[in-house]
Amino acid sequence: MMNGCACCDVGVLGRRGLLTGASALGAAGLFGSASAAEKPFRIDVHHHIAPPAWVAALKAAKLDSPPMNNWRPEQSLEDMDKGGVAIAMTSPTLPQVSFLGAADAARVARESNEYARKLADDHPGRFGVFAMLPMPHIDESLKELAYALDTLHADGIGMMTDYGDKWLGYPEFQPVFDELNRRKAVVYTHPTTPNCCVNLAKDVPDVAVEYGADTTRTIVNLIFSGASQRYQDISFIFSHGGGVLTAVAERLQIQMERMPPYKGKITHDQVQHELNRFFYDTAQVANAVTIEALAKLVPTSQIVFGSDFPYRTSAETAAGLAQRFKGKVLRGIGRDNAARILPAVRHV
């Protein structure tokens, strides 16, 4: 079942309402750039940093890129201040350490997580930590999971949507997800390119289509494998509004339940229940088409602010959201929805 009309549940601003709001509040306040009188309040769940050990590993494998090579903490803080972000939950971007062998992946993940913790400690109240695991190496990931959550007090775990040719609902990963479920952890996910799907369309980079598709693949795999039902105590956050989820939602809700092997085993309501409990960030989808479709598919209480810094900015994301939502819904997306599952930053 869809979740209400735009005028009632979503709080979408019409053109007249937008102009009136801009006049009353001032353009800076409405469109998300923190004015002198505005205290930063947003929680950015999709904010990338570049720990030195991780960048060195990327360079050695010729997988580095200018945005990560050139990143500095001061750049993050400047972006946060411009976009009214109080605290950014940090994570390295793709491919994390999945390209490394077990020992090197464990070392780089450990050093990167300790760097992220120190960054947060050096800037009290500005950064949280989504720790990186040495996935797909299971034993090493279980060790780092315990260290990250128990010793470093990370706020959650950051994962890729797939590891090579396996998505998050695959049984190979069950030991890690069983432990995350036991701990009632937050699991933030970021898309990557699976082995199967590199350079599918000539001259079209993977970022154009494949990243969104892979986010949706892992959502679908989690639901239809039964994994998400087993992991009811994990709070999953999916990047970019769930990728192409809104475009294929009807296939998942209706067509899949009529086809073997799922016929008689899963219903429309069961699929919708899982979709409704996941969280979806706003990175690169704060536009009328995508974010409004998402807000009709799932409750707006499940949409959380994400900027995708340094690839995009928090100010432009906040501006896009302010054109489409208002009041408590806008405040919820900006902060309150994420604060429900991130107790350590709830009062920051």
Side-chain angles (χ1 to χ4, degrees):
M1 180 179 294
M2 300 305 176
N3 290 278
C5 66
C7 59
C8 302
D9 176 55
V10 181
V12 175
L13 285 169
R15 184 175 183 273
R16 182 180 297 275
L18 175 60
L19 294 175
T20 302
S23 175
L25 298 177
L30 177 63
F31 290 113
S33 179
S35 66
E38 181 186 32
K39 181 181 177 181
F41 69 94
R42 295 182 177 92
I43 298 172
D44 185 354
V45 303
H46 189 149
H47 188 106
H48 297 306
I49 60 171
W54 178 67
V55 173
L58 291 178
K59 287 182 176 180
K62 296 184 171 18
L63 294 172
D64 57 310
S65 65
M68 291 295 93
N69 294 347
N70 299 329
W71 175 85
R72 299 293 181 272
E74 294 76 19
Q75 296 169 341
S76 286
L77 291 165
E78 181 180 6
D79 178 82
M80 292 160 63
D81 290 341
K82 288 180 178 179
V85 172
I87 185 164
M89 314 307 296
T90 65
S91 59
T93 189
L94 61 95
Q96 290 200 347
V97 293
S98 60
F99 62 98
L100 295 171
D104 286 337
R107 175 185 59 80
V108 173
R110 173 65 57 89
E111 292 180 17
S112 298
N113 292 336
E114 290 179 337
Y115 176 89
R117 179 72 268 166
K118 186 175 187 304
L119 177 69
D121 292 344
D122 288 347
H123 301 277
R126 299 312 306 272
F127 295 108
V129 178
F130 284 158
M132 177 167 57
L133 300 183
M135 290 283 281
H137 310 292
I138 301 303
D139 290 344
E140 290 77 8
S141 291
L142 287 169
K143 291 176 184 177
E144 188 60 24
L145 188 163
Y147 181 77
L149 295 181
D150 296 337
T151 301
L152 299 181
H153 304 294
D155 300 280
I157 299 297
M159 286 190 169
M160 297 290 93
T161 49
D162 79 77
Y163 293 94
D165 56 0
K166 297 178 178 64
W167 284 264
L168 300 187
Y170 275 43
E172 290 88 340
F173 302 145
Q174 185 171 342
V176 172
F177 281 96
D178 281 344
E179 179 62 10
L180 290 166
N181 191 66
R182 185 185 72 80
R183 290 172 173 268
K184 297 179 171 58
V186 173
V187 174
Y188 159 79
T189 72
H190 191 279
T192 188
T193 306
N195 292 346
C196 66
C197 305
V198 178
N199 301 321
L200 288 180
K202 184 179 180 180
D203 299 327
V204 177
D206 297 335
V207 67
V209 175
E210 192 50 48
Y211 292 175
D214 206 62
T215 293
T216 305
R217 281 193 196 98
T218 215
I219 292 172
V220 173
N221 172 242
L222 282 165
I223 293 174
F224 287 93
S225 68
S228 65
Q229 291 90 327
R230 289 196 304 274
Y231 309 139
Q232 287 290 306
D233 288 329
I234 295 176
S235 296
F236 286 98
I237 302 174
F238 295 104
S239 296
H240 309 299
V244 300
L245 180 62
T246 56
V248 301
E250 185 167 316
R251 294 178 181 272
L252 307 183
Q253 297 162 328
I254 298 174
Q255 191 168 1
M256 289 285 278
E257 73 168 347
R258 297 175 180 175
M259 299 172 57
Y262 306 109
K263 186 176 181 179
K265 295 182 179 179
I266 193 165
T267 67
H268 173 287
D269 290 347
Q270 288 172 325
V271 172
Q272 191 63 48
H273 172 80
E274 297 304 312
L275 295 179
N276 285 353
R277 78 174 188 85
F278 296 152
F279 290 82
Y280 308 87
D281 81 35
T282 63
Q284 302 205 38
V285 296
N287 59 78
V289 173
T290 312
I291 201 67
E292 290 180 23
L294 179 64
K296 292 176 182 178
L297 176 65
V298 302
T300 54
S301 61
Q302 305 306 109
I303 302 176
V304 292
F305 187 91
S307 69
D308 208 356
F309 183 82
Y311 301 94
R312 298 288 290 273
T313 70
S314 58
E316 65 180 325
T317 304
L321 294 171
Q323 293 180 61
R324 284 154 193 111
F325 303 97
K326 59 184 178 182
K328 290 183 179 179
V329 171
L330 182 60
R331 171 79 186 194
I333 293 171
R335 178 183 180 85
D336 296 343
N337 299 342
R340 297 201 323 266
I341 58 173
L342 296 169
V345 303
R346 191 169 295 157
H347 303 295
V348 173

